[in-house]
Amino acid sequence: MDPSAATDASSSAAGTEAMAGMSMSLDERLDLLMSIGEECIQEDELRQLLQHKPVPVCYDGFEPSGRMHIAQGIVKTINVNKMIRAGCKVKIWIADWFAQLNNKMGGDLEKIQAVGRYMIEIWKAAGMNLDGVEFLWSSEEINKRASEYWPLVMDIARRNKVKRITRCCTIMGRADSEDLTAAQIFYPCMQCADIFFLKADICQLGMDQRKVNMLAREYCDDIKRKNKPIILSHHMLPGFKQGQEKMSKSDPTSAIFMEDDEAQVKLKINQAFCPPPPPPNTVDENSNIVDGNPCLEYIKYIVFPWFDKFEVVRRERNGGNKTFLSMDELIVDYTSGALHPADVKTSLAKAINEILKFVSFLPDK
């Protein structure tokens, strides 16, 4: 099947995005975009971009490489819709060739493209605003404009030492000390080239892609280009286990996946790290129960953006039902012991299952 068949819902018209941005002030647009990023390089450049370009181009990309976890499915939908509301056009780069370079799905391009089409269907079901989104398949676009793409890749490769490029290999989920194939070493040069090939003003990727985005800014310095791509890096949700900094597709217990059923969601969240506060009048240097708490992070980055609230249902003897309207309010109750971890988990599982209801129509559920 031709992968472009999955892009029919995309729109290249800039009118919708421009109208969305016109209804907001400059400060409102800036604040909305900044709410996406854990880090922005640089905020003053982002403000100037919004001032001088009616419809900035935001670039996001992904390797179709298997199951879709909730950060890819829901957090990406939330972030893309924020970018559209801020008046941006979003180009989502379906990196099928990159997945093949990285030996995903055994390097089988047909399987990789099937996964890519499946992921697009999930975003449609999740309510991604496709009026402002253009899905682009790397295999198609690079072939169409090969004379533009490959000289750019080669110039980036020519201007960088192998050591600098291998430092970027963490973007593929590989350690820089890992025994890499030649294809995997070439990968960062290509991803860096993508930013300029797609004429992106803003790189909206995860913090784990920061190194290659910085490579793109360094390349601008090297070629004396004034307008550098702005890096807007979103937060990476942790895995469910204590100290697990990042959810992993290779560990199905580390995250909620978009096809998980209600029972699986409950089980995973019930087993997640979510410690109670230490006893009163005790001194414990490791008593920070908020940072790195996966349950609280799911609430902050998924539940609140989706529902604008977090509802706790519990017995009267345990404090009765309560609706939290901010993370600060929730953290106060949680750290004081007024909100028990068991009630956090039960209410979080209910909220996540409510969000995931829409995937019930998907095949092979």
Side-chain angles (χ1 to χ4, degrees), residues 49-258:
L49 174 68
L50 295 176
Q51 281 178 324
H52 297 108
K53 188 168 184 177
V55 185
V57 175
C58 296
Y59 146 72
D60 191 359
F62 72 100
E63 275 188 9
S65 58
R67 301 175 70 193
M68 179 185 271
H69 55 58
I70 197 167
Q72 285 181 305
I74 299 302
V75 177
K76 188 184 291 289
T77 296
I78 291 167
N79 290 343
V80 166
N81 288 351
K82 284 183 177 182
M83 289 186 277
I84 301 301
R85 282 166 48 205
C88 299
K89 176 181 178 62
V90 180
K91 293 183 178 182
I92 297 183
W93 189 236
I94 309 171
D96 51 349
W97 264 7
F98 291 75
Q100 188 177 39
L101 281 173
N102 204 11
N103 203 33
K104 298 298 177 68
M105 310 298 293
D108 187 322
L109 191 60
E110 287 189 5
K111 290 180 180 178
I112 290 167
Q113 290 174 344
V115 172
R117 291 190 294 271
Y118 177 72
M119 290 180 167
I120 291 172
E121 292 304 316
I122 292 179
W123 286 320
K124 289 179 183 178
M128 183 179 283
N129 182 359
L130 298 183
D131 286 340
V133 173
E134 185 177 11
F135 292 105
L136 298 167
W137 295 80
S138 67
S139 57
E140 284 192 349
E141 299 303 315
I142 292 171
N143 276 332
K144 285 179 188 174
R145 295 157 55 198
S147 62
E148 179 184 349
Y149 186 79
W150 292 114
L152 181 57
V153 173
M154 289 190 292
D155 193 48
I156 291 167
R158 184 177 64 84
R159 292 172 183 270
N160 287 278
K161 303 296 184 185
V162 172
K163 187 174 182 180
R164 176 67 182 91
I165 297 302
T166 54
R167 287 210 313 268
C168 292
C169 287
T170 54
I171 65 174
M172 300 180 288
R174 311 282 180 179
D176 56 11
S177 59
E178 193 171 332
D179 189 16
L180 303 169
T181 66
Q184 289 166 333
I185 293 174
F186 210 51
Y187 186 119
C189 298
M190 292 175 64
Q191 184 169 327
C192 181
D194 293 343
I195 296 165
F196 305 102
F197 183 69
L198 296 171
K199 297 176 171 56
D201 301 300
I202 301 170
C203 301
Q204 204 297 283
L205 300 165
M207 286 294 294
D208 61 340
Q209 303 297 302
R210 184 184 190 277
K211 288 181 179 180
V212 77
N213 290 334
M214 288 301 298
L215 181 68
R217 287 179 65 90
E218 292 168 11
Y219 178 67
C220 289
D221 290 333
D222 207 16
I223 63 173
K224 306 295 189 284
R225 171 174 162 154
K226 183 178 179 182
N227 296 323
K228 301 178 183 180
I230 295 158
I231 304 172
L232 192 62
S233 303
H234 64 253
H235 178 74
M236 304 294 293
L237 286 179
F240 279 139
K241 298 174 183 175
Q242 183 175 3
Q244 197 172 26
E245 294 183 357
K246 185 179 174 182
M247 55 180 64
S248 171
K249 291 182 181 181
S250 62
D251 179 4
T253 66
S254 72
I256 301 299
F257 289 87
M258 297 301 291

Side-chain angles (χ1 to χ4, degrees), residues 319-361:
N321 298 346
K322 184 169 182 177
T323 299
F324 294 93
L325 300 179
S326 73
M327 274 304 296
D328 288 342
E329 180 187 9
L330 186 149
I331 287 171
V332 167
D333 274 20
Y334 178 70
T335 55
S336 70
L339 176 60
H340 194 275
D343 294 318
V344 170
K345 292 181 176 183
T346 300
S347 302
L348 174 58
K350 182 179 179 182
I352 295 298
N353 276 320
E354 186 67 26
I355 293 170
L356 294 183
K357 275 184 178 179
F358 67 85
V359 301
S360 61
F361 81 95

